[in-house]
Every structure is written in C-alpha cells, then in structure tokens.
C-alpha cells in the first residue's frame, strides 16, 4: 500500500493537492509513498512558526530548551527499530547506515541538550567582556547574542533524512528559534515518521517544529529579515536559493552546505602493515561503503606517494573488491543501492567521465551483480575504484561522483604538492592526512586548513580512536569554504550564533551589566 505523506504546518497535518511526487524503495524500485505540497499556505505556516513557536521558545531558558531536546531524542529513540527499517525501505540503507543516520540524529540532539544544561538559566548569550568606551569608566559596551524573532527554514539533502533534520533542529531550537524542516522529497518518509512521533509525544511547544514533506513550492518567497535559511544539497541548488530576490534584498541569513571533493593524503613515511596504514585503509574503505558513498564528507580523492603506489593500489583494490553489495536487508551486505534512479544515472555518467581521463581499477559504475533476489528495478552501483596519472588531471578535482566511487591520485610525496592538488577542489568539508611524520603533518595541515572546514590527522597513536573524517561530530564545525558552500554548522555553541543576533549594547555600566545578566 502506498503511504500518503502529509506536512505538519500551522500545528496541523495537511496534504497537498495536485501532482504527486513518488518515493521509491531503492532496493527494488517499488513506489512506497507519495506526496504533494501544492496548495499549502506556506506563508501562513512560517508566520505561525514565528509567532507561536518562536514566542514559546524564547520564554524558555537554555536549560529548558535542552530538556526539550532530551525529550525529543528519547521519543525518537523509543521508535528506533521502526526508524531503522524506514531507512532501509526508502533510503536503501544497510542496518549500519540507518543507525549512522538515526542514532546520529538522536545523539546530536542529546549532545545539544547537555550544552543547554551547561548554559543554564539564561535565554541568550553574552559575547566576551564588557568594554570601557569613554574616559569615564561608567560608560561601557557589551555584546550579547539574542534569538532572532524569525523562523529557521532547513532544506535538507536526500542522504541523511534523520540526521539532517536532527542536527539542524537541535541547534536552532536550543538557540530559541522555531524550525520548518523541508527534507529532500525522495527520502522524506523517515523524516515524516520522526515528525509523527514527535507530534504524538507532545514534547515541543506548538509551532516550534513544522514539516514540509515535498517540494519547496513558494516557501522561500515568504522569508523575511529575521529568518534564517540553512540549506544542504548540491552547489547548483545552493547557488539558486541564495540568489533569490528576497533572500538578497532582505538580508535573509543563509548557510549553504554543498558538494565537496574530500581527500585522503597518505604521507610518504607510511608503510604497509603499520597501524597508520591500516587506519588509512579502513577509513578510505568506510567512505566507499558507508551509505553507498553518499556522504558529503566521504573521501573521493586518495593521494598516494608515487614510491608506494603499486602496493597501496593493490591493498585498496583488494579491500574494495571484498565489499559485499546488494540488498541491504541481506545479512553481510555492506553496500546498499544509491537512493534514487537519477542518482544511479548520475553516478554512472560520472564514472564514465572520470574513466575517460584515467583508468578503472575495479567496477565501472554499472549495476554489476548485486546480492539478493528481485533487485531488477533497484538502483545499484558496483563499488568503483579509478586511478589517474597524477594531480594535474583536472576532472578529479571538479567532479563529485556521489556514490561508492573513489579515485587514486599519485603525487610526489611532498606536502606542498599534495596541498596544491587538494586545493584544486576549490574548497572542501574535510580532508585527512595519514602520517606519523610531524613535519609532514604540520606542513600539510596548515596548508590544507584555509581550504577546509575540518582537517583530520590519522596516525598510529590515534588509530584506535579515530571515528573517521566522515563522522560529523557536534563539537566540531561542519562546513567548508568555496564549493562546499562557504557555510558552517554545529561546532558546539558556535552553531547557535547563526540563529542569534549579535547586538552591542552601550550605556551606563550597572544598567548594561544588569541587562546582560552579569
Ligand atoms: P539537491 O538536489 O540540491 O537537493 C537538496 C534539497 O534542496 C532538497 O530538499 C530539494 O528538494 C531542495 N531543492 C531543490 N530545488 C529547490 C528549489 N528550487 N528551492 C528550494 N529547495 C530546493 O541535492 P541532493 O541531490 O538532495 O543532495 C546531494 C548533494 O548534497 C551532493 O552534492 C552532496 O555533496 C550534498 N550534500 C552536502 C552536505 C553538506 O553537509 N555539505 C550534506 C549532504 C549532502 P526536493 O528533493 O524536493 O527537490
């Protein structure tokens, strides 16, 4: 039976009329749900969120908003098994992939709940110290950050229907700003179920969370000067949304999280059969297999010193050839299908483009022979490894192939050449340097830092502790310059700043201090 998704707007479940978008099971191609957002009054929905949800959230302290996040995380966790199953049904997730998404959402909410507790009874942030502004020490200035009186519109990508909602909502709600979440239509079933659970549990004030389950319609046309727009998706859509007339003219605060050609740089000191090499191999492999390579943070470019190319190539091919791919519900399968038929076509075309400038070492971006039965309509892609001759091959730095596809790029083993080549990706979310050589690490990390939101260092002493660059942690910033969107999310309390207005208050010292709660 096809499920009809509803949106949760202005405190009610509503269904659009008119043309329906279909949601599929990527493993079989079967239709599992449909939705429409046509005819929904999105202007009224945003106003409802601003006036009801915003007002209610601003009445609460950080600690109380934290309690709200704890209640949300608990309500969702109670339905974990059902949510994991939806990750498989509408996302093609293996159980591990679904856990990564769903547990990632609830653990980020729980982490921000703890942050709320530590921020205590205040409702806004005090920014640095009081500053004396005149000869008379009684005239001072103090910066504060207060919740903006708008709504946070969150537009998410298809690959993380749970985490995408959870990580953005946790930060906005803790800041005191209501959320309107628009998941990608193709995988919205999981997000919609999360909303049903949260609404039924009655754990958030009315208007604090809303869901638009389908295409955006005229949503962005209703954004105003107090609103915040946080987008995750492709660079093209990001460029489109941030150039909207009202977004530009009204100064709607906008954050874009987009494409990234994340790199792994293997240092020249790393020999095979060492802890550092094993870590490199494990993390590269994880980023090919996890979520079928559909992670914005996944390693796409693997830089290998020419001197060790042959042996490293062999190890990477052997590892990738060992991945079982197919029906994510079959025990032992490590790589499920990609999320949509369009995605499958794009990956295949992308592999062909890369292969034209290099060579295929394993797979070809085609369907191959996935494990399981009844998969003829599924969106499968063989794990695919390519190699190019060197860092000057331009296409590997331009084209993001969003699937289980990676390219080996030999380099001369110097940190400077690796940095120059990685930077040709024009800005990324995260890259990793695998080395135990301090000088190489310092040169590479400081060279890569201006081009990234995060740089990881993989070495023997952290081999047992690294979660891998693909895991976005709430304590650390997520985002990156240039083609990665130029945005920044999470990063502990830093994430709250996007939803708050920094205001410098000037006046008589005791009064300013009283207002700031000092
Ligand atoms: P996409 O096609 O750009 O879609 C992203 C979101 O934008 C979807 O919710 C989509 O809604 C919405 N959208 C599309 N056109 C719109 C418009 N005109 N107005 C308002 N919203 C619009 O990207 P995707 O295919 O879902 O995601 C894949 C890309 O996202 C990859 O390039 C990946 O690197 C990137 N990504 C980045 C991050 C990060 O944190 N940096 C994380 C995950 C993914 P519909 O689904 O309804 O069209």
């Amino acid at each position: 039976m096809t499920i009809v998704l509803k949106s949760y707007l202005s405190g009610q479940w509503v269904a659009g009329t008119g043309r329906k978008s279909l949601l599929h099971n990527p493993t079989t191609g079967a239709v599992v749900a449909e939705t429409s957002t046509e005819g929904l009054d999105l202007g009224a929905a945003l106003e409802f969120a601003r006036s009801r949800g915003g007002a209610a959230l601003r009445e609460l302290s950080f600690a109380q908003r934290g309690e709200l996040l704890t209640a949300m995380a608990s309500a969702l966790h109670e339905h974990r098994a059902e949510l994991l199953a939806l990750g498989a049904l509408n996302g093609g997730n293996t159980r591990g992939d679904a856990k990564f998404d769903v547990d990632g959402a609830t653990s980020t909410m729980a982490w921000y709940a703890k942050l709320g507790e530590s921020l205590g009874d205040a409702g806004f942030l005090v920014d640095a110290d009081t500053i004396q502004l005149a000869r008379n020490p009684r005239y001072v200035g103090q910066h504060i950050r207060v919740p903006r009186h708008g709504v946070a519109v969150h537009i998410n990508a298809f690959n993380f229907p749970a985490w995408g909602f959870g990580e953005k909502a946790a930060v906005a709600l803790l800041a005191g700003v209501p959320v309107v979440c628009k998941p990608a239509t193709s995988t919205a079933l999981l997000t919609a179920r999360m909303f049903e659970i949260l609404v039924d549990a009655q754990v958030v004030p009315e208007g604090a969370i809303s869901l638009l389950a389908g295409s955006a319609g005229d949503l962005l046309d209703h954004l105003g000067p107090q609103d915040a727009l946080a987008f995750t998706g492709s660079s093209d859509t990001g460029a489109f949304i941030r150039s909207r007339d009202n977004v530009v003219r009204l100064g709607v605060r906008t954050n874009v999280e987009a494409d990234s050609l994340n790199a792994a740089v293997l240092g020249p000191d790393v020999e095979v059969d060492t802890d550092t090499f094993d870590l490199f191999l494990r993390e590269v492999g994880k980023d090919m297999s996890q979520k079928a390579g559909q992670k914005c943070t996944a390693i796409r470019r693997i830089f290998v010193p020419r001197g060790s190319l042959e042996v490293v190539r062999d190890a990477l091919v052997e590892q990738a050839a060992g991945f079982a791919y197919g029906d994510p519900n079959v025990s032992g399968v490590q790589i499920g299908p990609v999320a949509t038929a369009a995605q499958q076509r794009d990956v295949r075309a992308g592999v062909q483009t890369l292969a034209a400038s290099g060579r295929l070492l394993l797979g070809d971006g085609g369907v191959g022979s996935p494990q399981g039965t009844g998969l003829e309509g599924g969106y499968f892609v063989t794990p695919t490894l390519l190699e190019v001759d060197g860092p000057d091959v331009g296409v590997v730095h331009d084209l993001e192939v969003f699937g289980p596809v990676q390219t080996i790029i030999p380099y001369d083993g110097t940190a400077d050449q690796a940095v120059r080549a990685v930077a040709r990706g024009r800005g990324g979310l995260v890259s990793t340097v695998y080395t135990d050589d301090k000088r190489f690490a310092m040169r590479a990390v400081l060279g890569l830092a201006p081009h990234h939101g995060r740089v990881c260092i993989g070495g023997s002493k952290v081999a047992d502790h690294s979660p891998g660059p693909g895991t976005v942690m709430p304590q650390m910033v997520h985002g990156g310059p240039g083609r990665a969107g130029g945005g920044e999310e999470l990063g502990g309390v830093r994430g709250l700043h996007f939803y708050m207005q920094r205001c410098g208050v000037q006046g008589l010292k005791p009064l300013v201090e009283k207002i700031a709660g000092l």
Side-chain angles (χ1 to χ4, degrees), residues 57-318:
L57 288 167
R58 290 195 299 275
E59 285 295 310
L60 304 177
S61 66
F62 284 118
Q64 288 168 322
R65 292 176 210 148
E67 284 167 19
L68 190 152
L69 291 176
T70 302
M72 288 172 74
S74 308
L76 294 170
H77 192 72
E78 274 176 36
H79 294 263
R80 182 172 182 259
E82 182 195 350
L83 296 175
L84 297 184
L86 290 177
L89 180 69
N90 184 215
N93 290 181
T94 63
R95 190 173 162 77
D97 292 344
K99 282 192 209 164
F100 191 58
D101 189 19
V102 171
D103 294 345
T106 49
S107 63
T108 304
M109 285 174 174
W111 193 89
Y112 271 96
K114 282 266 173 233
L115 178 65
E117 191 185 322
S118 72
L119 293 172
D121 292 337
F124 61 87
L125 299 171
V126 173
D127 183 330
D129 295 336
T130 309
I131 312 154
Q132 183 179 328
L133 294 175
R135 235 184 251 156
N136 184 335
R138 283 167 67 77
Y139 188 76
V140 299
Q142 172 68 57
H143 291 97
I144 56 174
R145 290 182 194 264
V146 291
R148 288 161 69 109
H149 284 204
V151 58
V153 168
H154 294 162
I155 299 185
N156 287 322
F158 71 83
N159 55 344
F160 284 103
W163 178 79
F165 157 55
E167 59 103 16
K168 282 189 171 67
V171 181
L173 293 173
L174 188 60
V177 177
V179 167
V180 172
C181 170
K182 195 217 101 49
T185 303
S186 57
T187 56
L189 185 56
L190 174 52
T191 324
R193 183 62 193 128
M194 291 170 84
F195 266 77
E196 277 176 7
I197 292 164
L198 294 173
V199 171
D200 289 350
Q202 299 183 336
V203 287
V204 278
E206 199 173 51
I209 57 168
S210 307
L211 169 75
L212 183 62
S215 61
D218 63 358
L219 178 70
L220 302 184
D221 297 342
H222 302 287
L223 289 174
Q226 284 285 307
D227 298 331
L229 171 61
F231 166 82
T232 298
S234 63
S235 293
D236 287 347
T237 314
F240 173 79
I241 63 146
R242 69 162 129 224
S243 62
R244 306 287 298 174
D245 195 54
N246 62 321
V247 170
V248 175
R249 283 181 199 282
L250 299 177
V252 176
R253 199 173 273 184
T254 304
N255 191 75
V256 172
E257 298 287 339
D259 311 357
S260 181
L261 284 158
N262 314 294
V265 177
L266 186 66
D269 58 301
V270 183
E271 298 189 0
V272 287
D273 294 332
T274 59
D275 288 345
T276 306
F277 185 77
D278 290 348
L279 176 68
F280 158 80
L281 204 57
R282 207 163 53 237
E283 294 191 344
V284 168
K286 186 176 186 183
D287 279 6
M288 173 177 275
S289 58
Q290 194 170 46
K291 284 266 178 186
Q294 300 166 108
K295 281 189 314 194
C296 52
T297 49
I299 295 164
R300 308 277 171 213
R301 298 177 290 167
I302 309 164
F303 289 89
V304 178
R306 275 189 201 284
S308 48
L309 181 60
E310 220 161 290
V311 59
V312 175
R313 176 201 296 135
D314 288 350
L316 287 168
V317 170
E318 188 187 335

Side-chain angles (χ1 to χ4, degrees), residues 362-436:
L362 179 86
D364 61 358
V367 177
S369 311
Q371 284 188 25
T373 51
L375 308 181
E376 295 72 27
Y379 314 138
F380 293 94
V381 174
T382 48
T384 301
L385 198 58
L386 300 105
E387 185 176 309
V388 292
D389 281 343
D392 289 337
V393 178
V395 69
V396 287
H397 310 299
D398 288 336
L399 183 65
E400 183 201 45
V401 181
F402 209 61
V405 179
Q406 294 170 327
T407 306
I408 298 174
I409 306 169
Y411 78 107
D412 68 6
T414 65
D416 288 355
Q417 192 184 59
V419 165
R420 272 197 307 278
V422 175
R424 289 187 62 179
R426 303 195 309 277
L429 296 172
V430 57
S431 283
T432 307
V433 184
Y434 295 91
T435 185
D436 288 299

